[in-house]
Amino acid sequence: MKKDNFTLHRYRVRIIKIISSIFRRKKSNFMLLCSLNIIRERWGERFAPLASLKKITSSSCPDPWEEHLQKPDTKLGKSVFWKRRAEVRVLRGRRFVRDADFFMELFGVDELLCCVWHREQDPDWASHSLGIFICLNCSGIHRNIPQVSKVKSVRLDDWDDAQVEFMASNGNNVAKAKYESKMPPFYYKPTFLDCQLLREQWIRAKYERKEFIHSEKQEPYSAGYREGFLWKRGRDNGQFLSRKFVLSEREGALKYFNKNDAKEPKAIMKIEHLNATFQPAKIGNPHGLQITYLKDNSTRNIFVYHEDGKEIVDWFNAIRAARFHYLQVAFPGASDVDLVPKLSRNYLKEGYMEKTGPKQTEGFKKRWFTMDDRRLMYFKDPLDAFARGEVFIGSKENSYKVLEGLPPSTQGNHWQHGITIVTPDRKFLFACETEDDQLEWITTFQKVISRPMLPQEYAVEAHFKHKP
């Protein structure tokens, strides 16, 4: 039983079968010798006979390790023997089975050890039809498009000659150069932290629709104008109703209309202050998108979704494209690298805390808080259209700081894990339900406060409305 458990554990090392046809290429001897050298360095001179192995024949090959794998070497001890037996796969017939060292030699460590998409370490899966290594999360999405991507486990599945040869001639870097050759800079490339919808549509756009190979397929979000219907949540009744939305770069605004034949829009959102972020859990829909803009220097939220995942992601990237072109005009000397992070932003943190009023004598009330860049907003309900209040969080150079705990005289808080934010004008007192929440909020505040303020942020601070 101990032997079987150890063998199963060692099988978790990435294993893939390399077919002899790879070694018949021009670089076959080099690759094989690299592999043998790695084995010799790892297991010593006991396997020196491998160094004399020059090629693998197409019929059968001698098994130089067989004598070492028949019975435990008393000098080595049983545990060491089973460790070697688990890692060292016997060379038999036309197949050479070994771990990821071969692929490290073939592709390089950086390429092999990272998912082709979001660079998660040690991907355990591969698409043998695309020639890429992927992680577990990506593999599930790839399996949903079997006409494009065929997935196998690097560790557990068998690989035939054609599949291994295709992987050897491609790889993550080759696929990226091909499938992202014409990707516009404003298109949002999600990370593993983003929602399922963004990740799925990114993979479909890249491999299924080939949008970043054929520029004409990018028109839905790059044309500078987009019109359509989205389900929008009502501000008062909370019901989602179909509303017409129009995004126009020429007018510099996103508008929506309450009626299809309405001549005047219900709201005009300037691209200058527009932001969009996916919030499926908050909105209660996997395609839920939160759009924010400034109205009278206060943040206004609208919550929308579309039944078609591609449609709502196209809207999201159309907003990013509009902001990108706006910023190019506003900051003509800025590079794409400088502008792209400003196109849209995810909130630094959201969650419930308790707060008290400016006199710090009122009872604490539970509120939903959102940290959006330097704006700390609080709402009675997470889906409220307007914040009940907003606090500007500046930098430590401007006398802003965050303290753990509450003043000794504080009363009325139900939650015991306090936070005090000190601004040039006053102190703000908050309480968290758990110590973990407290630590996360303090860490978030400290990151904001430690960042020097930009020139435009001083103007925001000067006009900011502190609402108790």
Side-chain angles (χ1 to χ4, degrees):
M1 182 63 67
K2 181 178 180 181
K3 172 186 67 177
D4 293 339
N5 289 342
F6 191 87
T7 303
L8 290 173
H9 171 72
R10 295 304 302 172
Y11 263 118
R12 294 184 64 84
V13 177
R14 184 177 296 105
I15 295 174
I16 190 168
K17 298 179 180 180
I18 306 300
I19 309 305
S20 61
S21 57
I22 289 182
F23 298 111
R24 290 196 295 267
R25 298 182 176 189
K26 293 182 179 179
K27 60 182 178 181
S28 61
N29 289 338
F30 170 76
M31 293 304 303
L32 181 55
L33 289 176
C34 286
S35 303
L36 298 178
N37 288 336
I38 293 171
I39 294 172
R40 290 187 63 183
E41 290 176 1
R42 182 175 297 176
W43 293 304
E45 294 299 324
R46 288 184 177 274
F47 302 106
L50 283 176
S52 62
L53 185 62
K54 299 299 184 183
K55 64 180 180 178
I56 301 175
T57 63
S58 59
S59 57
S60 64
C61 80
D63 191 350
W65 292 341
E66 188 68 32
E67 60 177 304
H68 297 285
L69 300 181
Q70 290 295 332
K71 58 183 179 180
D73 191 322
T74 55
K75 296 181 180 180
L76 293 177
K78 291 185 178 181
S79 62
V80 177
F81 164 77
W82 287 115
K83 177 180 179 181
R84 290 182 176 175
R85 179 162 181 162
E87 287 201 18
V88 181
R89 297 296 88 193
V90 180
L91 285 168
R92 284 196 180 97
R94 301 175 65 244
R95 292 192 173 185
F96 178 35
V97 186
R98 53 167 290 108
D99 62 15
D101 289 329
F102 175 83
F103 277 129
M104 289 182 187
E105 294 285 347
L106 188 62
F107 294 109
V109 176
D110 290 340
E111 183 171 355
L112 175 65
L113 293 185
C114 295
C115 175
V116 67
W117 169 38
H118 52 64
R119 304 194 66 78
E120 180 175 312
Q121 294 295 309
D122 292 330
D124 297 330
W125 302 83
S127 170
H128 60 83
S129 58
L130 296 174
I132 57 175
F133 294 97
I134 54 179
C135 67
L136 177 62
N137 289 333
C138 294
S139 70
I141 300 175
H142 277 262
R143 289 183 187 278
N144 290 331
I145 49 174
Q147 70 278 13
V148 175
S149 183
K150 300 185 184 301
V151 178
K152 276 193 171 186
S153 169
V154 172
R155 299 177 177 180
L156 303 177
D157 291 333
D158 291 331
W159 292 70
D160 61 36
D161 300 55
Q163 293 165 356
V164 175
E165 288 192 12
F166 187 76
M167 293 295 297
S169 61
N170 287 273
N172 292 358
N173 292 336
V174 172
K176 182 177 180 179
K178 174 183 178 181
Y179 291 102
E180 298 181 25
S181 60
K182 297 181 179 180
M183 188 182 77
F186 59 78
Y187 195 97
Y188 185 76
K189 186 175 181 178
T191 71
F192 69 98
L193 296 175
D194 284 301
C195 64
Q196 174 76 7
L197 175 66
L198 274 175
R199 293 185 282 122
E200 178 180 352
Q201 288 304 315
W202 159 255
I203 290 176
R204 288 186 178 275
K206 183 175 177 179
Y207 299 115
E208 184 180 40
R209 299 190 291 268
K210 296 182 174 62
E211 293 179 11
F212 312 135
I213 296 178
H214 308 290
S215 300
E216 64 274 11
K217 295 186 177 182
Q218 301 171 13
E219 185 177 356
Y221 45 80
S222 62
Y225 181 88
R226 184 175 177 87
E227 180 179 323
F229 289 87
L230 298 173
W231 292 96
K232 176 188 171 296
R233 186 180 188 274
R235 185 182 65 182
D236 299 323
N237 56 22
Q239 295 181 347
F240 281 89
L241 300 174
S242 179
R243 293 289 183 258
K244 180 182 176 181
F245 282 77
V246 176
L247 175 66
S248 173
E249 288 187 16
R250 184 177 61 84
E251 298 180 18
L254 172 66
K255 302 178 287 186
Y256 80 87
F257 302 80
N258 272 350
K259 296 182 179 180
N260 297 346
D261 57 351
K263 295 182 179 180
E264 297 297 326
K266 177 66 175 178
I268 300 177
M269 298 160 268
K270 293 183 178 181
I271 291 176
E272 177 185 1
H273 303 297
L274 201 59
N275 184 50
T277 178
F278 279 93
Q279 296 276 15
K282 182 195 289 189
I283 297 175
N285 187 288
H287 301 170
L289 182 69
Q290 180 174 348
I291 299 174
T292 61
Y293 63 100
L294 290 182
K295 184 176 182 181
D296 300 327
N297 202 40
S298 294
T299 303
R300 166 79 159 92
N301 299 322
I302 62 174
F303 304 94
V304 298
Y305 74 87
H306 195 284
E307 300 93 334
D308 188 326
K310 180 183 182 302
E311 282 291 314
I312 195 66
V313 173
D314 283 349
W315 272 104
F316 173 67
N317 281 300
I319 292 173
R320 285 175 57 87
R323 282 190 49 78
F324 180 68
H325 298 145
Y326 163 79
L327 291 174
Q328 282 182 316
V329 175
F331 305 97
S335 66
D336 291 353
V337 175
D338 295 326
L339 297 181
V340 167
K342 304 179 185 300
L343 303 185
S344 64
R345 59 190 181 274
N346 294 325
Y347 299 134
L348 299 179
K349 182 169 174 57
E350 288 191 290
Y352 282 106
M353 289 193 293
E354 290 183 335
K355 68 168 292 292
T356 186
K359 297 181 181 179
Q360 301 175 5
T361 57
E362 303 90 338
F364 279 71
K365 296 181 180 179
K366 180 180 176 182
R367 294 289 182 259
W368 177 266
F369 284 81
T370 297
M371 190 73 224
D372 183 11
D373 197 22
R374 291 193 182 275
R375 289 176 179 260
L376 176 63
M377 303 171 285
Y378 57 91
F379 307 82
K380 186 175 181 180
D381 184 88
L383 297 179
D384 282 347
F386 291 97
R388 293 295 182 96
E390 302 186 33
V391 181
F392 183 86
I393 308 295
S395 65
K396 59 184 179 182
E397 292 82 4
N398 299 89
S399 302
Y400 289 85
K401 59 183 177 180
V402 56
L403 304 174
E404 179 180 349
L406 300 172
S409 59
T410 305
Q411 297 180 352
N413 53 304
H414 302 90
W415 294 344
Q416 302 305 311
H417 306 281
I419 300 174
T420 301
I421 292 182
V422 181
T423 74
D425 299 327
R426 54 168 283 198
K427 293 181 179 179
F428 293 87
L429 308 184
F430 308 106
C432 300
E433 185 175 12
T434 67
E435 187 176 353
D436 288 343
D437 286 342
Q438 178 195 42
L439 178 61
E440 290 176 5
W441 276 110
I442 289 177
T443 302
T444 301
F445 293 143
Q446 287 175 338
K447 287 181 179 179
V448 175
I449 291 173
S450 63
R451 191 176 75 233
M453 289 174 58
L454 301 174
Q456 57 268 31
E457 291 176 333
Y458 284 97
V460 176
E461 181 187 35
H463 296 90
F464 209 85
K465 297 181 179 179
H466 295 283
K467 296 182 179 180

